[in-house]
Amino acid sequence: MTSTVVVGGFFGDEGKGKIISYLAIKDNPTIIVRGGAGPNAGHTIRDGDKVYKVRMLPSGFLNKNAKVMIGPGVVINPEVLKKEINDFEVSGRSFIDKHCGIIEETHLIRDSKGELKDKIGSTGSGTGPANADRAMRVLKLAKDFDSLSSIITDVPKEINTALSKNEHVLVEGTQGTFLSLWHGTYPFVTSKDVTASGICADVGLGPTKVDEVIVVFKSYVTRVGTGPLEKELSLDEAEKKGWSEFGTVTGRQRRAADFDFDLARRAIMLNGATQISITKLDVLFSDCAGKTSFAELSDDAKSFIKNIENELNTPVTIIGTGPAVNDVIDRRN
Ligand code: IMP
Ligand code: MG
């Protein structure tokens, strides 16, 4: 079996959570491991009538047979994590690495005011200040807290061992390519590299061990917080198109624009994408809602997808057609 890395191609909020929960069930990996910055990322997952909003746990937790893990590159808010483990009933199969950084009160305070909040529009989750302290070598790590000892494991070893036994591992990224500290719209970015390479480093997966990189794009672009957004629509225009969305973590209204091929092309390059996933096709073409086969799509929707494949020279394999986990067209063989 294989390792699959899933990352966001725009500014986060592409709908990765839903795609990852679909893959977690469909591909049945033994481990789903999360990289990325920290609890600044929110993923919304819908399973029947249940809606889960996760900030710390991997979005793939709906697969009850899988272990879910958080890699050493990620900073953790233990309160948020423990609440999610309890609320979503994943205790006994959730693990963190001993080198995960720990967010404390001081980080929350420093993130909720001043430059980070006012200029960068940070999520206030403490993630940026914790990563700054980590760079200064003063951040406490998971291994420094007795209360975390029962959920600590060697995450890089677990995932590499699983791969060597031919098991499938799903690696989940957070945020999106243009929020990367290296490749994004600096300074309006998050506090880590969040491209596929960065996510792999976060969990301890070497470059030669990566089989598939799926870059997720939404059918339109959104951005929450400050920073440049080419061809940004007015909130009125976005609302008319049905594109008005609100952030999972902060509740802030997301800014919106049409699908951006220049950004997408660059995201394909930076992440070394082997596949593309397009989400919320039903928001663009309402007649596609809930469809599960490509043949059933309207001609307009088909040409939208084919145009993306031609422009980006990469196959669109997984298409989201609604909020539920199984509202998906899966074109992989
Ligand atoms: P921070 O990561 O909380 O420091 O926030 C820095 C910038 O990244 C702000 O504009 C946030 O809105 C944005 N950001 C961070 N994480 C996410 C995410 O998961 N989705 C969307 N935007 C994010
Ligand atoms: Mg989000």
Side-chain angles (χ1 to χ4, degrees):
M1 292 292 274
T2 49
S3 64
T4 302
V5 183
V6 182
V7 293
F10 289 142
F11 298 97
D13 307 317
E14 297 90 355
K16 290 182 294 299
K18 175 253 167 70
I19 298 300
I20 289 162
S21 41
Y22 168 79
L23 293 173
I25 290 165
K26 177 77 184 175
D27 295 356
N28 200 21
T30 50
I31 300 176
I32 300 143
V33 60
R34 174 163 166 163
N40 50 351
H43 294 149
T44 305
I45 300 143
R46 236 167 277 254
D47 182 27
D49 323 326
K50 284 199 204 125
V51 179
Y52 302 95
K53 290 186 186 290
V54 290
R55 290 176 54 193
M56 285 275 42
L57 279 178
S59 308
F61 70 88
L62 285 183
N63 179 341
K64 293 190 167 56
N65 302 317
K67 289 184 193 164
V68 295
M69 298 187 182
I70 302 178
V74 181
V75 293
I76 286 178
N77 179 325
E79 318 265 87
V80 176
L81 176 64
K82 282 183 180 159
K83 185 166 186 330
E84 290 180 5
I85 291 177
N86 281 330
D87 290 358
F88 307 151
E89 295 170 8
V90 278
S91 111
R93 60 183 182 96
S94 330
F95 301 93
I96 64 176
D97 194 82
K98 67 177 179 189
H99 286 158
C100 289
I102 299 299
I103 295 174
E104 296 190 276
E105 193 65 29
T106 162
H107 305 112
L108 294 172
I109 293 167
R110 280 149 63 193
D111 207 12
S112 61
K113 57 180 187 209
E115 279 264 294
L116 280 176
K117 190 83 204 166
D118 301 339
K119 182 178 164 202
I120 311 300
S122 79
T123 57
S125 59
T127 305
N131 278 321
D133 277 2
R134 185 151 191 173
M136 293 302 287
R137 270 61 54 85
V138 295
L139 186 69
K140 288 191 189 141
L141 303 182
K143 66 181 169 62
D144 302 321
F145 295 82
D146 284 344
S147 58
L148 294 173
S149 61
S150 64
I151 57 168
I152 286 180
T153 191
D154 185 339
V155 171
K157 190 164 177 205
E158 293 257 8
I159 62 176
N160 284 284
T161 304
L163 288 172
S164 71
K165 290 196 290 197
N166 258 346
E167 294 171 4
H168 186 55
V169 173
L170 182 58
V171 181
E172 93 177 52
T174 60
Q175 285 82 32
T177 300
F178 297 100
L179 289 177
S180 162
L181 183 60
W182 304 159
H183 303 291
T185 52
Y186 186 89
F188 306 102
V189 293
T190 193
S191 47
K192 296 270 305 285
D193 175 31
V194 289
T195 61
S197 318
I199 298 296
C200 288
D202 287 343
V203 303
L205 186 67
T208 56
K209 298 284 166 60
V210 176
D211 295 302
E212 298 290 338
V213 176
I214 304 181
V215 173
V216 183
F217 298 116
K218 193 152 58 184
S219 298
Y220 45 97
V221 183
T222 59
R223 171 158 209 173
V224 63
T226 52
L229 179 61
E230 290 287 319
K231 305 198 184 94
E232 181 172 355
L233 300 176
S234 70
L235 290 181
D236 257 8
E237 287 171 303
E239 209 151 306
K240 259 185 226 137
K241 289 181 181 255
W243 297 357
S244 105
E245 297 179 4
F246 296 86
T248 306
V249 174
T250 57
R252 292 179 296 188
Q253 185 157 11
R254 295 177 184 153
R255 303 148 62 201
D258 279 307
F259 191 92
D260 186 330
F261 283 96
D262 293 331
L263 281 184
R265 219 169 272 121
R266 194 163 176 84
I268 295 293
M269 174 185 83
L270 291 168
N271 292 293
T274 61
Q275 302 175 41
I276 293 171
S277 171
I278 298 290
T279 62
K280 301 214 180 185
L281 191 67
D282 56 305
V283 175
L284 229 51
F285 306 99
S286 56
D287 52 3
C288 297
K291 294 286 188 312
T292 52
S293 84
F294 192 76
E296 288 176 281
L297 295 182
S298 61
D299 288 345
D300 283 350
K302 279 183 188 153
S303 357
F304 177 78
I305 298 292
K306 284 182 181 155
N307 186 38
I308 289 175
E309 292 189 313
N310 290 337
E311 290 283 333
L312 305 181
N313 212 2
T314 310
V316 174
T317 51
I318 308 210
I319 302 170
T321 57
V325 174
N326 286 318
D327 291 337
V328 161
I329 299 170
D330 187 346
R331 302 169 79 203
R332 300 173 302 166
N333 293 320

